[in-house]
Amino acid sequence: MHDVAILGSGPAGLTAAIYAARANLSTLVLTGDAFGGQIATTNDVENYPGFDEISGPELTMRMRGQAERFGAQVVTDQIVEAAVDASPFTLRGRADEYRARALIVATGASPRLLGVPGEQEFWGRGVSVCATCDGAFFRGQEVAVVGGGDSALQEGLFLTRFASKVTIIHRRGELRAGPYLRDRAFASPTIEFLWDTVVTHVEGDDVVRGLRLRNVDTGAESDVAVDGLFVFIGHDPNTELFRGTLDLDADGYVVSDRTMHTSAPGVFVAGEAQDHYFRQAITAAGEGCQAAMEAEKYLVRLQSGAAAPTAAAAGA
Ligand code: NAP
């Protein structure tokens, strides 16, 4: 039995672990299948305060070390069932079962896919959602990036280190990305834009050889030869585990108030499992801190027998 179990090992979960463990709570971090969350697939982090430049994996390893120094236990397991109706909560993982008096959901979000023919077939053979992981395979080759947000441009810029040409394919005529990345992408001699265009097929033999495209205005179809396709079209929250037990919004994000309470007493949330707006490592870390501080207060109340507030009762 732990005081606090934390699901997820990105900046939200690991910051929650630092605060919970430092508050002398017995703290268990259940990492999920991939340690570090999305930030661990980012090569250059330039906007995490205190670090001019650090890689995502190094940042999360430092956070982990800090949490462990205060006594947090980090276990690699993927939770497949969570009973959250009343504390203590039971979490069934693929490897083991765990119990905790308070729970912090920091399960993050996963990249969205296009859902077009060929995308799954060529997964890992030219199709990717991680430039940091796979960019180096495309040295001297031509790649396409789908998306018009900050991720598409940031990762597209990263890919210019390897690829001879990066074509950013966007379904509209205007980028969603902010001015800083937009200006850098427009200034890059290696990046070209294809506007008002969607990918309808990924084509190839053993590996990706090209894409079938459609212009959304004219309906005209065309082909482009590329060696790789990187998809950066947003994310979906990893909250399926809590469907039917926690209040989720229409897009599946956990409903919470400003103090990270969910609809279930003793269950708190932090990071992209509840945030589809800011989605920054630093905001996730801040929410992890808040969730752990609230979990600590909840445990004090639990011990004294007082009623615990939920998201609705605490007020947004
Ligand atoms: P996003 O801002 O939601 O952008 C997703 C992009 O993909 C949009 O341009 C969208 O087109 C396009 N898209 C969505 N579904 C599509 C589909 N089925 N087919 C083709 N295109 C599709 O997601 P994001 O870029 O991952 O960014 C998420 C958040 O993280 C944002 O708040 C962003 O600011 C932040 N972020 C910040 C940084 C940074 O500051 N360095 C870096 C990365 C991410 P439409 O524009 O037409 O909707």
Side-chain angles (χ1 to χ4, degrees), residues 148-151 154 170-172 176 233-235 277 279-280:
D150 284 326
S151 298
Q154 178 165 296
H170 185 33
R171 64 182 178 181
R172 291 191 293 140
R176 182 175 292 277
I233 58 168
H235 299 84
Y277 186 71
R279 318 188 74 143
Q280 302 297 300

Side-chain angles (χ1 to χ4, degrees), residues 59-267:
L59 184 61
T60 46
M61 284 312 288
R62 282 182 183 226
M63 290 181 185
R64 176 183 179 151
Q66 209 173 346
E68 286 177 328
R69 194 150 50 83
F70 293 121
Q73 190 188 345
V74 181
V75 170
T76 305
D77 201 354
Q78 179 76 24
I79 300 305
V80 291
E81 209 176 300
V84 296
D85 42 327
S87 174
F89 308 116
T90 304
L91 307 165
R92 194 166 61 77
R94 289 209 189 104
D96 212 337
E97 196 168 279
Y98 313 88
R99 273 156 68 79
R101 295 181 185 87
L103 177 65
I104 297 176
V105 178
T107 46
S110 295
R112 225 176 257 156
L113 298 177
L114 294 169
V116 298
E119 187 182 42
Q120 289 297 336
E121 188 187 340
F122 292 106
W123 188 258
R125 294 187 293 138
V127 177
S128 172
V129 290
C130 179
T132 305
C133 318
D134 300 325
F137 295 126
F138 296 92
R139 208 172 284 278
Q141 300 185 333
E142 299 193 4
V143 299
V145 165
V146 180
D150 284 326
S151 298
L153 266 54
Q154 178 165 296
E155 304 303 314
L157 282 160
F158 176 73
L159 287 167
T160 62
R161 296 183 190 189
F162 310 103
S164 56
K165 182 173 164 191
V166 176
T167 303
I168 297 184
I169 301 169
H170 185 33
R171 64 182 178 181
R172 291 191 293 140
E174 197 184 330
L175 292 172
R176 182 175 292 277
Y180 176 66
L181 287 166
R182 203 170 53 207
D183 292 349
R184 279 172 65 192
F186 285 151
S188 168
T190 314
I191 292 181
E192 278 183 19
F193 285 88
L194 264 180
W195 304 105
D196 305 310
T197 300
V198 292
V199 174
T200 57
H201 283 82
V202 184
E203 290 162 345
D205 38 46
D206 284 349
V207 293
V208 169
R209 298 289 179 202
L211 306 172
R212 186 126 194 89
L213 306 174
R214 193 181 72 242
N215 182 295
V216 292
D217 288 338
T218 63
E221 302 218 340
S222 60
D223 291 295
V224 62
V226 291
D227 305 293
L229 169 67
F230 288 82
V231 180
F232 301 110
I233 58 168
H235 299 84
D236 291 314
N238 300 321
T239 54
E240 270 310 305
L241 189 57
F242 299 103
R243 192 164 289 285
T245 54
L246 295 181
D247 285 356
L248 307 181
D249 72 12
D251 296 319
Y253 290 88
V254 176
V255 174
S256 65
D257 63 13
R258 288 174 66 185
T259 51
M260 315 327 285
H261 290 243
T262 70
S263 54
V267 181

